[in-house]
Amino acid sequence: VEPVITASRGRVEITSARPLGAVRGWRAMFDVVPDAGVEPITLRLYLRANGQPLTETWLYEWAPPPLAERPLD
């Protein structure tokens, strides 16, 4: 099982999909590194197995914080 993740801006890093026994399902995790802007970023994610979609598509619009409030890491 692999997560398929897209972002309208910035980049996606450190992706994973792990089984979550408590719900008999999966948990996907990822980091988003926004570009310099503060415009909303549209995120899309679904899980795929053997080249076929396994889940519905999750869609979220995230507004990154202003540059002055972002960590330097």
Side-chain angles (χ1 to χ4, degrees), residues 24-47:
R24 302 174 90 186
W26 291 83
R27 171 172 289 170
M29 295 177 279
F30 60 95
D31 287 345
V32 176
V33 179
D35 55 21
V38 294
E39 295 81 19
I41 298 172
T42 300
L43 302 167
R44 293 173 52 101
L45 178 145
Y46 69 93
L47 298 180

Side-chain angles (χ1 to χ4, degrees), residues 8-59:
S8 61
R9 298 182 312 98
R11 67 183 188 277
V12 175
E13 297 182 341
I14 312 173
T15 65
S16 69
R18 300 177 184 178
L20 185 60
V23 298
R24 302 174 90 186
W26 291 83
R27 171 172 289 170
M29 295 177 279
F30 60 95
D31 287 345
V32 176
V33 179
D35 55 21
V38 294
E39 295 81 19
I41 298 172
T42 300
L43 302 167
R44 293 173 52 101
L45 178 145
Y46 69 93
L47 298 180
R48 176 171 59 194
N50 301 316
Q52 297 295 315
L54 184 63
T55 65
E56 70 278 5
T57 299
W58 173 82
L59 184 62

